[in-house]
Amino acid sequence: LSIKTNNLENWLNEEILVKKIIKKFSDYVELNIEKDQVLYECLMYHLKPAIYRLKKGIKLNNTIFKELLQEDDTTLQITNEVLKEIEEDLEIKFNDDEKCLLAYHFKASLDRNMYIDRKKILLVCGLGYGTSKLLEKQLKENFNIDVVDIIAYHELDEAIKIYKNLDLIV
């Protein structure tokens, strides 16, 4: 990515760079945030000044973003990984303040998009509600799903008529 090109090329390169960053982050979190227009615009407006600051050695004085993200926050860790290739391409090193600010944009995007692509699941229990409740808890902890109901096996025919937009029956 050459910084010494004309304005149109710079704009196109920035657009490609932002899309690349969003795609890489999406792949890491296994959630498609590539259509998040708010994230795209925030990164478009943020990235060029951030690169300028980094190339000129200018540091941000606003540490509020560090406070909003805990050090062990996975969003910050993923942002660090996503930026490694970008740092190589641009021959710059993002400092902690810039990384936190970018991570904050990604965290906001995750909050906006976390529940959009949730699969709707109906749990059918054959052994009892206790087992199904335990299964529901484990499924929700490990997958981005919405358990719409837990029913007994003999209620399945009626439930299928009621719940039209199910993705899976377990």
Side-chain angles (χ1 to χ4, degrees):
L1 188 78
S2 173
I3 303 300
K4 297 176 182 175
T5 56
N6 68 37
N7 288 337
L8 177 61
E9 287 174 357
N10 274 341
W11 180 80
L12 291 174
N13 289 339
E14 289 167 15
E15 184 175 323
I16 291 167
L17 180 64
V18 167
K19 287 181 178 182
K20 182 178 181 179
I21 291 170
I22 293 172
K23 169 78 169 108
K24 287 181 74 81
F25 194 93
S26 288
D27 291 345
Y28 269 100
V29 296
E30 297 178 355
L31 176 67
N32 188 350
I33 57 172
E34 294 177 67
K35 294 181 182 172
D36 185 340
Q37 194 62 30
V38 174
L39 175 63
Y40 174 79
E41 289 174 11
C42 285
L43 292 181
M44 281 294 288
Y45 290 120
H46 174 79
L47 208 53
K48 188 173 184 176
I51 292 168
Y52 177 82
R53 284 190 297 270
L54 293 169
K55 287 198 175 271
K56 298 294 183 181
I58 301 169
K59 291 193 173 208
L60 292 175
N61 290 327
N62 190 349
T63 59
I64 191 165
F65 295 107
K66 278 187 182 177
E67 295 168 9
L68 293 172
L69 295 167
Q70 299 172 349
E71 285 297 319
D72 62 343
D73 190 322
T74 55
T75 308
L76 184 56
Q77 294 169 6
I78 294 168
T79 302
N80 283 328
E81 288 300 313
V82 167
L83 291 176
K84 284 181 182 178
E85 184 179 336
I86 305 305
E87 289 174 327
E88 282 182 31
D89 290 347
L90 298 176
E91 299 176 352
I92 58 173
K93 180 78 173 138
F94 283 87
N95 60 40
D96 289 343
D97 290 329
E98 296 289 353
K99 286 178 182 177
C100 286
L101 185 52
L102 288 169
Y104 183 71
H105 289 304
F106 283 116
K107 189 170 188 71
S109 178
L110 290 175
D111 289 345
R112 281 190 302 275
N113 292 286
M114 186 62 77
Y115 301 105
I116 291 175
D117 293 332
R118 292 178 82 176
K119 301 297 180 195
K120 293 180 175 80
I121 296 178
L122 176 65
L123 290 180
V124 180
C125 56
L127 299 175
Y129 286 102
T131 307
S132 297
K133 280 295 200 186
L134 179 60
L135 177 61
E136 175 188 26
K137 181 181 180 297
Q138 291 175 345
L139 287 171
K140 284 183 174 182
E141 286 176 358
N142 293 300
F143 302 100
N144 184 25
I145 63 163
D146 180 20
V147 176
V148 295
D149 202 356
I150 300 173
I151 61 166
Y153 178 75
H154 70 273
E155 299 172 320
L156 182 57
D157 290 334
E158 192 61 34
I160 291 174
K161 295 174 190 172
I162 296 170
Y163 299 111
K164 300 281 184 195
N165 296 323
L166 292 173
D167 294 305
L168 183 65
I169 299 174
V170 179

